[in-house]
Amino acid sequence: MLTASPSLRPEAPLRIALYPGSFDPLTRGHVTIVQRGRRIFDEVVVAVARNVSKKSLFTIDERVEMARDVFAHDSGIRVETFDGLLVDYARSIGATALLRGLRAVADFEYENQMASMNHMLAPDIETVFLMADANTFFVSSRLVKEVASLGGDVSTVVPAAVHDRLIARLAKQKGES
Ligand code: ADP
């Protein structure tokens, strides 16, 4: 007679989500999306885009280093870089979901287009959206850089490891100009 034995059940595959972006620099908005994503997925891979067309404040290596510092405490969060087609990279790491954050209506149109295009390219990969937190829905990397460069205090909206580097980088830039 066959009896159900939990030990004979095959291991469930890891659920891996890919969270792509520029992260120039990582903000607390990004951090909350990753942490909330981790409640749903076994592993979240934060993928910093090697997007040469975007002018960035931090190099790709610096952005990766900052993010690795911030997420070092959780072995279920990896920080990598990618270039080329997002869905190809997702497949190469075994991700079955793309994780994205939605702040406002303004994000919706672009995110909807991207999700639809990625669905056309890879119907087996789902885009999962998390609504931005009430505390960070107004935070963007662009605005953080702008406010900090004008001397505004952004310490509550970026991780401490990012804040120190941001202030140092902006001071260096100011000295050079
Ligand atoms: P991109 O270069 O694609 O704009 P970002 O690094 O700015 O990349 O953002 C990556 C993802 O994180 C996007 O889905 C974006 O909507 C989301 N995101 C950015 N800031 C926040 C925030 N404050 N709250 C929630 N999601 C956010």
mmCIF file with all atom_site columns, all heavy atoms in Angstrom, residues 128-143:
data_model
loop_
_atom_site.group_PDB
_atom_site.id
_atom_site.type_symbol
_atom_site.label_atom_id
_atom_site.label_alt_id
_atom_site.label_comp_id
_atom_site.label_asym_id
_atom_site.label_entity_id
_atom_site.label_seq_id
_atom_site.pdbx_PDB_ins_code
_atom_site.Cartn_x
_atom_site.Cartn_y
_atom_site.Cartn_z
_atom_site.occupancy
_atom_site.B_iso_or_equiv
_atom_site.pdbx_formal_charge
_atom_site.auth_seq_id
_atom_site.auth_comp_id
_atom_site.auth_asym_id
_atom_site.auth_atom_id
_atom_site.pdbx_PDB_model_num
ATOM 1   N N   . VAL A 1 128 ? 5.150  41.434 -11.012 1.00 0.00 ? 128 VAL A N   1
ATOM 2   C CA  . VAL A 1 128 ? 4.412  41.604 -9.757  1.00 0.00 ? 128 VAL A CA  1
ATOM 3   C C   . VAL A 1 128 ? 4.649  43.026 -9.259  1.00 0.00 ? 128 VAL A C   1
ATOM 4   O O   . VAL A 1 128 ? 5.798  43.450 -9.080  1.00 0.00 ? 128 VAL A O   1
ATOM 5   C CB  . VAL A 1 128 ? 4.905  40.583 -8.703  1.00 0.00 ? 128 VAL A CB  1
ATOM 6   C CG1 . VAL A 1 128 ? 4.259  40.844 -7.351  1.00 0.00 ? 128 VAL A CG1 1
ATOM 7   C CG2 . VAL A 1 128 ? 4.608  39.164 -9.174  1.00 0.00 ? 128 VAL A CG2 1
ATOM 8   N N   . PHE A 1 129 ? 3.546  43.761 -9.067  1.00 0.00 ? 129 PHE A N   1
ATOM 9   C CA  . PHE A 1 129 ? 3.660  45.148 -8.606  1.00 0.00 ? 129 PHE A CA  1
ATOM 10  C C   . PHE A 1 129 ? 3.317  45.246 -7.131  1.00 0.00 ? 129 PHE A C   1
ATOM 11  O O   . PHE A 1 129 ? 2.325  44.675 -6.675  1.00 0.00 ? 129 PHE A O   1
ATOM 12  C CB  . PHE A 1 129 ? 2.694  46.056 -9.375  1.00 0.00 ? 129 PHE A CB  1
ATOM 13  C CG  . PHE A 1 129 ? 3.050  46.213 -10.825 1.00 0.00 ? 129 PHE A CG  1
ATOM 14  C CD1 . PHE A 1 129 ? 2.353  45.521 -11.802 1.00 0.00 ? 129 PHE A CD1 1
ATOM 15  C CD2 . PHE A 1 129 ? 4.094  47.034 -11.191 1.00 0.00 ? 129 PHE A CD2 1
ATOM 16  C CE1 . PHE A 1 129 ? 2.692  45.658 -13.142 1.00 0.00 ? 129 PHE A CE1 1
ATOM 17  C CE2 . PHE A 1 129 ? 4.447  47.180 -12.525 1.00 0.00 ? 129 PHE A CE2 1
ATOM 18  C CZ  . PHE A 1 129 ? 3.740  46.487 -13.513 1.00 0.00 ? 129 PHE A CZ  1
ATOM 19  N N   . LEU A 1 130 ? 4.133  46.002 -6.406  1.00 0.00 ? 130 LEU A N   1
ATOM 20  C CA  . LEU A 1 130 ? 3.791  46.338 -5.027  1.00 0.00 ? 130 LEU A CA  1
ATOM 21  C C   . LEU A 1 130 ? 3.556  47.837 -4.975  1.00 0.00 ? 130 LEU A C   1
ATOM 22  O O   . LEU A 1 130 ? 4.340  48.616 -5.540  1.00 0.00 ? 130 LEU A O   1
ATOM 23  C CB  . LEU A 1 130 ? 4.934  45.953 -4.081  1.00 0.00 ? 130 LEU A CB  1
ATOM 24  C CG  . LEU A 1 130 ? 5.260  44.458 -3.993  1.00 0.00 ? 130 LEU A CG  1
ATOM 25  C CD1 . LEU A 1 130 ? 6.385  44.222 -2.992  1.00 0.00 ? 130 LEU A CD1 1
ATOM 26  C CD2 . LEU A 1 130 ? 4.039  43.642 -3.593  1.00 0.00 ? 130 LEU A CD2 1
ATOM 27  N N   . MET A 1 131 ? 2.487  48.235 -4.309  1.00 0.00 ? 131 MET A N   1
ATOM 28  C CA  . MET A 1 131 ? 2.224  49.666 -4.164  1.00 0.00 ? 131 MET A CA  1
ATOM 29  C C   . MET A 1 131 ? 3.256  50.266 -3.218  1.00 0.00 ? 131 MET A C   1
ATOM 30  O O   . MET A 1 131 ? 3.595  49.657 -2.196  1.00 0.00 ? 131 MET A O   1
ATOM 31  C CB  . MET A 1 131 ? 0.820  49.903 -3.581  1.00 0.00 ? 131 MET A CB  1
ATOM 32  C CG  . MET A 1 131 ? -0.311 49.384 -4.451  1.00 0.00 ? 131 MET A CG  1
ATOM 33  S SD  . MET A 1 131 ? -0.306 50.070 -6.099  1.00 0.00 ? 131 MET A SD  1
ATOM 34  C CE  . MET A 1 131 ? -0.865 51.723 -5.731  1.00 0.00 ? 131 MET A CE  1
ATOM 35  N N   . ALA A 1 132 ? 3.718  51.452 -3.544  1.00 0.00 ? 132 ALA A N   1
ATOM 36  C CA  . ALA A 1 132 ? 4.696  52.126 -2.690  1.00 0.00 ? 132 ALA A CA  1
ATOM 37  C C   . ALA A 1 132 ? 4.124  52.340 -1.294  1.00 0.00 ? 132 ALA A C   1
ATOM 38  O O   . ALA A 1 132 ? 2.916  52.548 -1.128  1.00 0.00 ? 132 ALA A O   1
ATOM 39  C CB  . ALA A 1 132 ? 5.080  53.465 -3.302  1.00 0.00 ? 132 ALA A CB  1
ATOM 40  N N   . ASP A 1 133 ? 5.010  52.298 -0.305  1.00 0.00 ? 133 ASP A N   1
ATOM 41  C CA  . ASP A 1 133 ? 4.617  52.571 1.082   1.00 0.00 ? 133 ASP A CA  1
ATOM 42  C C   . ASP A 1 133 ? 4.186  54.025 1.250   1.00 0.00 ? 133 ASP A C   1
ATOM 43  O O   . ASP A 1 133 ? 4.717  54.898 0.573   1.00 0.00 ? 133 ASP A O   1
ATOM 44  C CB  . ASP A 1 133 ? 5.833  52.382 1.995   1.00 0.00 ? 133 ASP A CB  1
ATOM 45  C CG  . ASP A 1 133 ? 5.985  50.953 2.440   1.00 0.00 ? 133 ASP A CG  1
ATOM 46  O OD1 . ASP A 1 133 ? 5.404  50.080 1.777   1.00 0.00 ? 133 ASP A OD1 1
ATOM 47  O OD2 . ASP A 1 133 ? 6.668  50.739 3.440   1.00 0.00 ? 133 ASP A OD2 1
ATOM 48  N N   . ALA A 1 134 ? 3.309  54.251 2.199   1.00 0.00 ? 134 ALA A N   1
ATOM 49  C CA  . ALA A 1 134 ? 2.866  55.627 2.483   1.00 0.00 ? 134 ALA A CA  1
ATOM 50  C C   . ALA A 1 134 ? 4.055  56.518 2.859   1.00 0.00 ? 134 ALA A C   1
ATOM 51  O O   . ALA A 1 134 ? 4.067  57.705 2.566   1.00 0.00 ? 134 ALA A O   1
ATOM 52  C CB  . ALA A 1 134 ? 1.847  55.615 3.615   1.00 0.00 ? 134 ALA A CB  1
ATOM 53  N N   . ASN A 1 135 ? 5.065  55.925 3.499   1.00 0.00 ? 135 ASN A N   1
ATOM 54  C CA  . ASN A 1 135 ? 6.218  56.721 3.959   1.00 0.00 ? 135 ASN A CA  1
ATOM 55  C C   . ASN A 1 135 ? 7.205  57.083 2.865   1.00 0.00 ? 135 ASN A C   1
ATOM 56  O O   . ASN A 1 135 ? 8.020  57.987 3.041   1.00 0.00 ? 135 ASN A O   1
ATOM 57  C CB  . ASN A 1 135 ? 7.005  55.941 5.031   1.00 0.00 ? 135 ASN A CB  1
ATOM 58  C CG  . ASN A 1 135 ? 6.189  55.763 6.277   1.00 0.00 ? 135 ASN A CG  1
ATOM 59  O OD1 . ASN A 1 135 ? 5.346  56.595 6.592   1.00 0.00 ? 135 ASN A OD1 1
ATOM 60  N ND2 . ASN A 1 135 ? 6.420  54.674 6.984   1.00 0.00 ? 135 ASN A ND2 1
ATOM 61  N N   . THR A 1 136 ? 7.155  56.348 1.757   1.00 0.00 ? 136 THR A N   1
ATOM 62  C CA  . THR A 1 136 ? 8.197  56.562 0.734   1.00 0.00 ? 136 THR A CA  1
ATOM 63  C C   . THR A 1 136 ? 7.638  56.740 -0.682  1.00 0.00 ? 136 THR A C   1
ATOM 64  O O   . THR A 1 136 ? 8.400  56.737 -1.644  1.00 0.00 ? 136 THR A O   1
ATOM 65  C CB  . THR A 1 136 ? 9.195  55.375 0.724   1.00 0.00 ? 136 THR A CB  1
ATOM 66  O OG1 . THR A 1 136 ? 8.466  54.157 0.727   1.00 0.00 ? 136 THR A OG1 1
ATOM 67  C CG2 . THR A 1 136 ? 10.138 55.414 1.910   1.00 0.00 ? 136 THR A CG2 1
ATOM 68  N N   . PHE A 1 137 ? 6.327  56.919 -0.803  1.00 0.00 ? 137 PHE A N   1
ATOM 69  C CA  . PHE A 1 137 ? 5.737  56.982 -2.143  1.00 0.00 ? 137 PHE A CA  1
ATOM 70  C C   . PHE A 1 137 ? 6.225  58.190 -2.953  1.00 0.00 ? 137 PHE A C   1
ATOM 71  O O   . PHE A 1 137 ? 6.176  58.194 -4.176  1.00 0.00 ? 137 PHE A O   1
ATOM 72  C CB  . PHE A 1 137 ? 4.199  56.984 -2.054  1.00 0.00 ? 137 PHE A CB  1
ATOM 73  C CG  . PHE A 1 137 ? 3.638  58.309 -1.646  1.00 0.00 ? 137 PHE A CG  1
ATOM 74  C CD1 . PHE A 1 137 ? 3.232  59.247 -2.598  1.00 0.00 ? 137 PHE A CD1 1
ATOM 75  C CD2 . PHE A 1 137 ? 3.531  58.637 -0.308  1.00 0.00 ? 137 PHE A CD2 1
ATOM 76  C CE1 . PHE A 1 137 ? 2.738  60.470 -2.210  1.00 0.00 ? 137 PHE A CE1 1
ATOM 77  C CE2 . PHE A 1 137 ? 3.042  59.866 0.087   1.00 0.00 ? 137 PHE A CE2 1
ATOM 78  C CZ  . PHE A 1 137 ? 2.639  60.794 -0.864  1.00 0.00 ? 137 PHE A CZ  1
ATOM 79  N N   . PHE A 1 138 ? 6.744  59.197 -2.258  1.00 0.00 ? 138 PHE A N   1
ATOM 80  C CA  . PHE A 1 138 ? 7.183  60.433 -2.927  1.00 0.00 ? 138 PHE A CA  1
ATOM 81  C C   . PHE A 1 138 ? 8.681  60.429 -3.225  1.00 0.00 ? 138 PHE A C   1
ATOM 82  O O   . PHE A 1 138 ? 9.221  61.413 -3.738  1.00 0.00 ? 138 PHE A O   1
ATOM 83  C CB  . PHE A 1 138 ? 6.853  61.642 -2.038  1.00 0.00 ? 138 PHE A CB  1
ATOM 84  C CG  . PHE A 1 138 ? 7.477  61.545 -0.672  1.00 0.00 ? 138 PHE A CG  1
ATOM 85  C CD1 . PHE A 1 138 ? 8.727  62.082 -0.431  1.00 0.00 ? 138 PHE A CD1 1
ATOM 86  C CD2 . PHE A 1 138 ? 6.832  60.866 0.364   1.00 0.00 ? 138 PHE A CD2 1
ATOM 87  C CE1 . PHE A 1 138 ? 9.327  61.955 0.812   1.00 0.00 ? 138 PHE A CE1 1
ATOM 88  C CE2 . PHE A 1 138 ? 7.421  60.745 1.610   1.00 0.00 ? 138 PHE A CE2 1
ATOM 89  C CZ  . PHE A 1 138 ? 8.673  61.284 1.834   1.00 0.00 ? 138 PHE A CZ  1
ATOM 90  N N   . VAL A 1 139 ? 9.338  59.324 -2.918  1.00 0.00 ? 139 VAL A N   1
ATOM 91  C CA  . VAL A 1 139 ? 10.798 59.275 -3.020  1.00 0.00 ? 139 VAL A CA  1
ATOM 92  C C   . VAL A 1 139 ? 11.232 58.708 -4.370  1.00 0.00 ? 139 VAL A C   1
ATOM 93  O O   . VAL A 1 139 ? 10.777 57.639 -4.771  1.00 0.00 ? 139 VAL A O   1
ATOM 94  C CB  . VAL A 1 139 ? 11.380 58.389 -1.888  1.00 0.00 ? 139 VAL A CB  1
ATOM 95  C CG1 . VAL A 1 139 ? 12.895 58.305 -2.000  1.00 0.00 ? 139 VAL A CG1 1
ATOM 96  C CG2 . VAL A 1 139 ? 10.963 58.923 -0.528  1.00 0.00 ? 139 VAL A CG2 1
ATOM 97  N N   . SER A 1 140 ? 12.096 59.441 -5.050  1.00 0.00 ? 140 SER A N   1
ATOM 98  C CA  . SER A 1 140 ? 12.727 58.907 -6.260  1.00 0.00 ? 140 SER A CA  1
ATOM 99  C C   . SER A 1 140 ? 14.214 59.230 -6.198  1.00 0.00 ? 140 SER A C   1
ATOM 100 O O   . SER A 1 140 ? 14.614 60.214 -5.558  1.00 0.00 ? 140 SER A O   1
ATOM 101 C CB  . SER A 1 140 ? 12.116 59.521 -7.525  1.00 0.00 ? 140 SER A CB  1
ATOM 102 O OG  . SER A 1 140 ? 12.508 60.879 -7.635  1.00 0.00 ? 140 SER A OG  1
ATOM 103 N N   . SER A 1 141 ? 15.028 58.422 -6.867  1.00 0.00 ? 141 SER A N   1
ATOM 104 C CA  . SER A 1 141 ? 16.480 58.673 -6.874  1.00 0.00 ? 141 SER A CA  1
ATOM 105 C C   . SER A 1 141 ? 16.762 60.063 -7.427  1.00 0.00 ? 141 SER A C   1
ATOM 106 O O   . SER A 1 141 ? 17.617 60.793 -6.915  1.00 0.00 ? 141 SER A O   1
ATOM 107 C CB  . SER A 1 141 ? 17.192 57.621 -7.729  1.00 0.00 ? 141 SER A CB  1
ATOM 108 O OG  . SER A 1 141 ? 16.975 56.342 -7.218  1.00 0.00 ? 141 SER A OG  1
ATOM 109 N N   . ARG A 1 142 ? 16.032 60.425 -8.473  1.00 0.00 ? 142 ARG A N   1
ATOM 110 C CA  . ARG A 1 142 ? 16.267 61.728 -9.111  1.00 0.00 ? 142 ARG A CA  1
ATOM 111 C C   . ARG A 1 142 ? 16.027 62.873 -8.134  1.00 0.00 ? 142 ARG A C   1
ATOM 112 O O   . ARG A 1 142 ? 16.855 63.774 -7.983  1.00 0.00 ? 142 ARG A O   1
ATOM 113 C CB  . ARG A 1 142 ? 15.326 61.880 -10.332 1.00 0.00 ? 142 ARG A CB  1
ATOM 114 C CG  . ARG A 1 142 ? 15.552 63.159 -11.114 1.00 0.00 ? 142 ARG A CG  1
ATOM 115 C CD  . ARG A 1 142 ? 14.453 63.374 -12.164 1.00 0.00 ? 142 ARG A CD  1
ATOM 116 N NE  . ARG A 1 142 ? 13.103 63.442 -11.587 1.00 0.00 ? 142 ARG A NE  1
ATOM 117 C CZ  . ARG A 1 142 ? 12.606 64.490 -10.952 1.00 0.00 ? 142 ARG A CZ  1
ATOM 118 N NH1 . ARG A 1 142 ? 13.341 65.576 -10.787 1.00 0.00 ? 142 ARG A NH1 1
ATOM 119 N NH2 . ARG A 1 142 ? 11.380 64.468 -10.458 1.00 0.00 ? 142 ARG A NH2 1
ATOM 120 N N   . LEU A 1 143 ? 14.910 62.824 -7.421  1.00 0.00 ? 143 LEU A N   1
ATOM 121 C CA  . LEU A 1 143 ? 14.566 63.910 -6.496  1.00 0.00 ? 143 LEU A CA  1
ATOM 122 C C   . LEU A 1 143 ? 15.524 63.951 -5.302  1.00 0.00 ? 143 LEU A C   1
ATOM 123 O O   . LEU A 1 143 ? 15.909 65.023 -4.832  1.00 0.00 ? 143 LEU A O   1
ATOM 124 C CB  . LEU A 1 143 ? 13.118 63.724 -6.026  1.00 0.00 ? 143 LEU A CB  1
ATOM 125 C CG  . LEU A 1 143 ? 12.397 64.963 -5.489  1.00 0.00 ? 143 LEU A CG  1
ATOM 126 C CD1 . LEU A 1 143 ? 12.473 66.113 -6.485  1.00 0.00 ? 143 LEU A CD1 1
ATOM 127 C CD2 . LEU A 1 143 ? 10.923 64.624 -5.198  1.00 0.00 ? 143 LEU A CD2 1
#
